[in-house]
Amino acid sequence: MKRIAILGTASSGKTTLAAALAERYSTVWVPEYLREFVDTVERVPVEADQIHIARTQLEREAEAAPRAQQFLFCDTTPLMTAVYSRHYFGGIDAQLAPLADAHPQRYDLTLVTAADIPWEADGLMRENEEVSIIINRMLMEELWARGISYVPIGGSIEQRVAQVADALAGL
């Protein structure tokens, strides 16, 4: 089973892509826990929440893995939590850092969704279109600094699924 990381800013189509890929490959996907967290506690996360969010994301991956068929599509990873931590809190917590550092060992392929679809507000999530541009730049810097190769994914959902299919064929 191959773990596929899907990274990108808010409103860049990660969730839609993960669900479409899971359907195409008759497997499961791991939703972004941050969204559930914000909906449940009815507030945006604070710095102390970041490690809980990242750990819960990984726990959800572990729970889904036995049900995965060939691929497990992960709608975000602790690396994305680390990027947001850098932006909103000025750094990456010492407990969060090792989870983000493990990205290259944990995922077989990293996809980065382009912000080329209409931006939509995401409930209580605080990110807006301007912040998304900053987060995207920070994500690219983080991937480069860590030597993580990725496949850029953009266009319509059909185009995105086809791009991922090509990338998966190369695994």
Side-chain angles (χ1 to χ4, degrees):
M1 186 265 301
K2 304 283 188 190
R3 283 181 201 254
I4 312 303
I6 304 174
L7 305 180
T9 64
S11 195
S12 65
K14 296 182 307 291
T15 300
T16 302
L17 179 61
L21 291 168
E23 182 177 332
R24 175 179 175 146
Y25 290 97
S26 300
T27 190
V28 294
W29 65 285
V30 183
E32 180 182 35
Y33 174 68
L34 174 61
R35 183 182 308 264
E36 178 184 334
F37 175 89
V38 169
D39 289 345
T40 301
V41 301
E42 298 181 340
R43 65 171 172 79
V44 296
V46 296
E47 186 172 9
D49 296 323
Q50 298 302 293
I51 187 63
H52 166 72
I53 290 165
R55 284 181 177 151
T56 302
Q57 188 71 38
L58 291 177
E59 288 168 8
R60 300 284 172 88
E61 281 184 27
E63 291 166 4
R67 299 187 321 272
Q69 302 294 317
Q70 188 177 6
F71 302 111
L72 177 62
F73 297 103
C74 303
D75 178 358
T76 207
T77 75
L79 181 60
M80 205 70 230
T81 307
V83 169
Y84 280 106
S85 291
R86 272 187 50 221
H87 176 72
Y88 286 111
F89 309 117
I92 301 170
D93 177 271
Q95 294 179 16
L96 174 58
L99 301 181
D101 292 344
H103 186 97
Q105 295 79 37
R106 176 172 281 284
Y107 302 97
D108 299 286
L109 179 66
T110 298
L111 310 172
V112 177
T113 53
D116 61 354
I117 57 176
W119 190 89
E120 292 180 24
D122 200 3
L124 289 175
M125 304 291 275
R126 62 182 151 210
E127 194 168 325
N128 60 36
E129 199 166 3
E130 291 78 29
V131 172
S132 287
I133 293 167
I134 295 167
I135 296 296
N136 188 64
R137 179 184 47 77
M138 292 177 74
L139 173 59
M140 295 299 112
E141 290 170 358
E142 201 71 41
L143 292 167
W144 181 85
R146 293 170 181 271
I148 299 171
S149 62
Y150 65 92
V151 177
I153 303 297
S156 69
I157 188 62
E158 296 81 12
Q159 291 169 319
R160 289 171 178 231
V161 169
Q163 292 164 16
V164 175
D166 289 343
L168 293 176
L171 283 181

